[in-house]
Amino acid sequence: MASIETINTTSVLVPATATILEVLDETPDVKTFRVQIDDEQARENFKQKPGQVAELSVFGAGESVISITSSPTQTDYLEFSIKRVGVVTDAIHTLTSGDKIGIRGPYGNGFPVENWKGKNLIIIGGGIGLAPVRSVLNYAIDNRSDYGHIALFYGARTPQDLVFKWEYGRWSQVKDAEVHLTVDCGDDTWKDNVGVVGAIVKQVNPSPENAIALTCGPPIMIKFVLQDLFGMNFTPEQIYTTLEGKMQCCVGLCGRCNIGSKYICKDGPVFSLAELNEIHGDF
Amino acid sequence: MAAKIISSDNLQTWINKLTATCEVYAPSQGKEVSLFKQVKEGDKPALNILTDIPPKGLIFKQVEKIFSYRKNEDGIEIKQAEIEPGRRVIFGIRPCDARSFTLTDKVFVHSDMPETHYAKRRQQTALITLACNDACRTCFCTSVGGSPAEKVGDVWMMDFGGRYLVEALTPVGEEIIRANDDLFSKSSPEDEAESLRIAERVASKMPVLEIASAKLLDELFTNEEFWVRLSEKCLSCGACTFLCPTCYCFDVRDQGSANSGDRYRGWDSCMFYQYNRAAGGHNPREQHWKRMRQRMLHKFSYFVTQYGNIDCVGCGRCIRSCPVSYDLRDFLATSAVAVAGVDMDFVGELPSEGQPRTCDIK
Amino acid sequence: MNKLEKQIQEKAIELLEKGEVSAVIGWGQSWNPTKATPLFARDRKTAEKLIFNPFCFNNLSVYLPRLNEKVAILAKPCEARSIVALLAEGKINRENIYIIGLACQGIVDIGKLETAIGSINEATEARLEADSVVVEVDGEAKKAAFADVVLDNCLSCKQQDKTYCDVMIGEPAQVPTGKAGLIVPEDADATWWRTFWAKEFDRCIRCYACREACPACYCRDNCAVQSLRERWTSPRLDAKETLMFHALRAMHVAGRCIECGACELACPMDIPLTLLHRQVGDAVRRLFNFNVGEKADIRPPLEFFLKEELEKSGR
């Protein structure tokens, strides 16, 4: 027989149950869910790092890997901002407070926030891509003295597609931080920047000195933002992103997220550009 | 425990006695295909064949229920599916198939996230390996780190014609032999020498193929034309992956309503279009040649980097079962040349066969 | 190499060197002389490896819908009928294919062959000698009468002298005569069929090789049964589900299936799928008086309604 010292009696594929406390409407197809794990011990054990993900179950529909958008400093609940794109996310969108879901996690490597202490953080988000990097943003804000200047650049196609509108006020008040919002197409009520988020980054021209840039958003946005950052002399080691490739089991077994010799669910989803440049894969 | 000898008649008795205490699975030749079937007392297994279907499904079941769920007043009750207790023996498994479990164990048992259902079934199962007295045209175990007489499993046997040399490899193997001690007799040093001679003879029947290193194969990723040409005739079905003893990709799906149902783990194949297709529609491996590239590189490069072994045991089932008779050894030979940067004008012939190559690049 | 093969290679080289096509799709030698494998010849050297013998069972027209280039294709009557069917459905462009018709005298059924002479996995040579198939295994030449080992499908082939093609190589061959391997009893009723298919589909591993090898199943990647949104099949993969998949596929190819047997030949579990499709094909012929693969300008009957059908149904 294979020498098996201890077999976990509980399969890694079995979720814990959690209750939806509150649902916030962000955009026509994005909702933020505030979720609390039912079992107290499991809740205690679930100590996520910024940038980690969780596997959410809607029983009967299936599982989906969603990034945890709340910072670990928010201990009352876990927040997930979910865009409606398929069977499972459709099903989640029909749920309201009091409903039960399943949760497994936290998984993934998370952002290396320890290494970033003392550095300036430049956070560039596009559309729903703000969700995973918001965990770092709020973590840095809640540990303010550990980090240098914080700059948030966030854009979406239209004002209706902007998420976390209810956070902008608070973020604007943060010490030694700046918030730049933009949309591709404005409307009558929009008073802020108009243009792609990369253009605003170039305009503001943050210094790469002692800085980390993290970006997440649609592939086309990331492509141009990277070009812009290189133009501003950021090195690949300074630039981080989180990959949203298809993940299934999230525990490095099912093979789906295998890219090169890495698994997005285990070795990622956070990668520096330097690391990504070493990987040959289908993204 | 020293190696022993068992006669062919006593071997049958041994099998019968094993069926009394555990579930015994052994090779069986059906009308259409050969596979591992449960043996009842008195059944004579077909020990002289390499089955069409590997015993992979006995431990890594094609469909495995993970848990059932049910809504109640308090919320949702989740009940993990239990593995039926009891011991099992896979009798007459070939070294390549036994080795395939060693490889899959690295992922499902010895990793930092072991998978309970596989691990439990694996723990319950003893492997009684039968060394090979011959090699098929499609066998190439010696090229991927195995051998026709590899000592892998719990008990190892070799057929001397009329009698078998038997050796316990693990404490479980020793226990199995000790429980039927009266059926075995002592072996001699000459028996040991004979086993080495047979092993050598069989191994020499298979040419050792040159396989490029994991690093060089990874770099071959960017040579798109290579992969497009290589996979021209591939139909992108799932036959090779399902009949491969080392392929282990799976899918997790629910069957039921929001109120009650089950969650299953089932075989999936990286060769299927939907395998990597995300809900929003994005599919990084939309073209079938990208999926072929992923399969080959996973087996011969990525798994090597991750776990230290080639994820292939050289059983040749993919070659035999492929609807278009695609020969994986073509990939090994042509990639070995491609990574050397040699002009791919003429790749040459497979070493031992003298058969013309079926796929030329350029 | 026989005369026919020489002619095929010469034709292929001529087309390639003139630049008329970018590839010639045919068959080459595989790891075993009793198994041919599809071969995409793009230059002289590869074209010289083209073969044609009674072991060339793959239906090559399966590759056509996904190609964008102008190709030549070696076509037995099976490929030719598939091409006509695909043209009738508008799935391929006639200008993009150059059809080299071949005089096919029948394809060997490996199952029947192995029943006659034993395992052929270690064959070193295989050839047709007069009326026999000769296979050399371990130095011994084993013989079987060709009529005894030919595919059941070939026994009812009516296309020998009217293969749809641009050029024909070889003289039209005789339709082989022989005994069918699988006999369905005269009184086979629903119960018989249910038991029969339950036993056969017990072996099905849902690899979808049948679907991928079928020229009519051009949906391929977007097949309904693997759809991620609509869950037509359950993950349980039980016998009922498997029967449903095959029945679903049989209905989807009804009126478009030329009963070439590519599905059955692709199946690694040797499930006699052609029987199922022939049953459905019989129904199509009975109900619509339609023979697929004969006319490239007549659409399959299940793709549209005739005016009188609509009127009759009262809609």
Side-chain angles (χ1 to χ4, degrees), chain A residues 263-277:
Chain A
Y263 287 110
I264 298 181
C265 67
K266 269 175 38 170
D267 305 299
V270 172
F271 289 100
S272 73
L273 201 60
E275 287 167 330
L276 280 181
N277 287 342

Side-chain angles (χ1 to χ4, degrees), chain B residues 32 62 137 229 232-235 238 242 253 255 264 272-274 288 319 323-325 358 360 362, chain C residues 29 31 37-40 42-43 49 58 63 66 122-123 203 205-207 212 221 233-236:
Chain B
E32 295 88 5
Q62 182 163 12
R137 298 274 292 292
R229 290 284 166 263
E232 261 178 330
K233 63 183 169 205
C234 170
L235 298 174
F242 284 7
R253 276 181 53 189
Q255 177 69 32
Y264 293 91
F272 292 147
Y273 174 84
Q274 288 85 353
H288 81 291
I319 303 170
V324 295
S325 303
T358 55
D360 274 58
K362 206 179 186 66
Chain C
Q29 188 58 69
W31 59 275
T37 183
L39 181 64
F40 286 65
R42 293 173 189 279
D43 56 26
K49 298 189 175 153
N58 305 97
Y63 297 111
R66 76 179 182 202
E122 305 301 307
R203 288 196 304 287
I205 54 172
R206 304 288 287 277
C207 65
E212 300 296 343
D221 294 338
T233 55
S234 116
R236 276 197 282 256

Side-chain angles (χ1 to χ4, degrees), chain C residues 175-189:
Chain C
V175 174
T177 51
K179 276 198 327 270
L182 223 146
I183 314 279
V184 175
E186 286 265 335
D187 56 353
D189 60 357

